[in-house]
């Protein structure tokens, strides 16, 4: 009997559809927590930042169009981002849901999702103070070949400036420089942070298909934050 119940529960878990929007300032830890959420629910992470950086690296038409904007810490137009995302969620791996990381960034983008009848189950807002974010991002170093990430304070390489595995040079990504981080935070507060009230207000309305809004303090250990998020999605 227990085996039958366990199998039924497993089937139900497999049928869960989870569509999540992850909010938070640049450097709030969204990327790390996105991986945990995607593993838990078997859904793809849709990060417009990663998608655009790949386009830049490939020197595609889109990449050439946005390269200058991205390197200066600016934001790509809503029209370009919306077109990119709408195409992405039609792919087969989104049948069980998806996680938006870095989208929507503006009220018009959020409204475009709503107008397009693209339902979302949960909005998870990870809140971290600006100065903590600056410390996190300005100290980050990356190994270009593998994507391995280090931090000058929290996770330093064994040899300063060198990748632990290959001994190759680490770099500071252009958008991790302190001046660029501050500019990105200014843009976040003026253009993206209003999404918090947008989704909070929508979740309080007595309307069908309104996503649940979940506020998460992004302080403490990675494991603590993960458990807070999982509890909010249960």
């Amino acid at each position: 009997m227990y085996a039958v119940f366990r199998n039924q529960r497993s089937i139900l878990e497999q049928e869960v559809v989870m569509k999540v929007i992850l909010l938070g300032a640049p450097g709030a830890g969204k990327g790390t927590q996105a991986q945990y959420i995607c593993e838990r629910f078997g859904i793809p992470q849709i990060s417009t930042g990663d998608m655009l950086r790949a386009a830049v690296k490939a020197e595609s038409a889109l990449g050439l169009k946005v390269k200058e904007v991205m390197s200066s810490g600016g934001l790509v137009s809503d029209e370009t981002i919306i077109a990119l995302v709408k195409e992405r969620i039609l792919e087969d791996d989104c049948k069980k849901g998806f996680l938006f990381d870095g989208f929507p960034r503006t009220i018009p983008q959020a409204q475009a999702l709503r107008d397009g009848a693209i339902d979302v189950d949960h909005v998870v807002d990870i809140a971290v103070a600006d100065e903590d974010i600056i410390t996190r991002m300005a100290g980050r170093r990356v190994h270009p070949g593998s994507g391995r990430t280090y931090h000058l304070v929290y996770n330093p390489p064994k040899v300063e400036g060198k990748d632990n595995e290959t001994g190759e040079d680490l770099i500071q990504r252009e958008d991790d420089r302190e001046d660029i981080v501050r500019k990105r935070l200014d843009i976040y507060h003026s253009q993206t942070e209003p999404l918090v009230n947008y989704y909070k207000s929508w979740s309080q309305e007595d309307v069908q298909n309104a996503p649940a809004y979940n506020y998460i303090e992004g302080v403490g250990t990675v494991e603590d934050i993960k458990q807070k998020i999982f509890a909010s999605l249960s």
Side-chain angles (χ1 to χ4, degrees):
M1 176 67 76
Y2 175 75
V4 172
F5 173 77
R6 184 176 59 188
N7 289 336
Q8 289 176 337
R9 180 171 142 189
S10 176
I11 292 171
L12 289 173
E13 288 176 346
Q14 292 173 6
E15 293 175 346
V16 170
V17 175
M18 181 63 67
K19 300 176 181 179
V20 181
I21 289 174
L22 200 53
L23 294 181
K30 298 190 302 299
T32 298
Q33 296 301 329
Q35 293 178 13
Y36 291 131
I37 296 170
C38 290
E39 289 172 4
R40 174 75 172 263
F41 296 100
I43 57 178
Q45 176 184 354
I46 301 178
S47 169
T48 54
D50 288 346
M51 293 168 70
L52 289 170
R53 278 191 289 272
V56 169
K57 185 175 181 180
E59 297 185 342
S60 65
L62 176 61
L64 294 174
K65 181 178 178 181
V66 303
K67 182 177 181 179
E68 183 176 350
V69 178
M70 290 179 61
S71 64
S72 64
L75 292 179
V76 179
S77 71
D78 289 348
E79 182 179 345
T80 300
I81 294 296
I82 290 169
L84 185 68
V85 171
K86 282 188 173 181
E87 182 177 324
R88 175 67 180 87
I89 63 175
L90 294 176
E91 297 183 19
D92 288 342
D93 62 343
C94 292
K95 288 182 178 178
K96 291 180 62 178
F98 47 77
L99 181 145
F100 286 142
D101 174 13
F103 177 85
R105 288 184 186 272
T106 64
I107 297 295
Q109 289 179 1
Q111 192 63 47
L113 283 182
R114 189 171 180 177
D115 293 343
I118 300 173
D119 294 335
V120 174
D121 302 307
H122 290 271
V123 175
V124 176
D125 176 23
I126 303 178
V128 181
D130 282 7
E131 291 307 313
D132 289 338
I133 287 173
I134 291 167
T135 299
R136 288 183 185 182
M137 295 186 72
R140 189 160 55 188
R141 298 294 184 270
V142 178
H143 177 237
S146 66
R148 281 185 289 273
T149 303
Y150 301 85
H151 194 279
L152 300 181
V153 177
Y154 305 121
N155 180 34
K158 296 175 182 178
V159 177
E160 184 177 352
K162 303 293 183 181
D163 176 52
N164 287 350
E165 300 295 325
T166 66
E168 296 172 344
D169 289 341
L170 302 176
I171 65 168
Q172 183 180 39
R173 259 181 20 189
E174 184 74 11
D175 53 358
D176 281 343
R177 284 177 22 215
E178 182 173 342
D179 59 327
I180 298 298
V181 173
R182 290 188 181 278
K183 182 175 181 179
R184 293 175 68 194
L185 286 171
D186 288 342
I187 293 172
Y188 169 77
H189 290 306
S190 64
Q191 298 187 22
T192 306
E193 195 170 36
L195 287 171
V196 171
N197 286 331
Y198 177 89
Y199 282 113
K200 188 185 298 184
S201 298
W202 186 10
S203 71
Q204 293 170 350
E205 296 175 9
D206 187 18
V207 294
Q208 191 174 14
N209 298 328
Y213 170 79
N214 307 286
Y215 176 88
I216 305 293
E217 285 281 357
V219 294
T221 67
V222 170
E223 180 66 22
D224 288 342
I225 298 167
K226 180 180 77 171
Q227 294 305 325
K228 291 177 189 176
I229 292 174
F230 283 176
S232 74
L233 296 177
S234 61

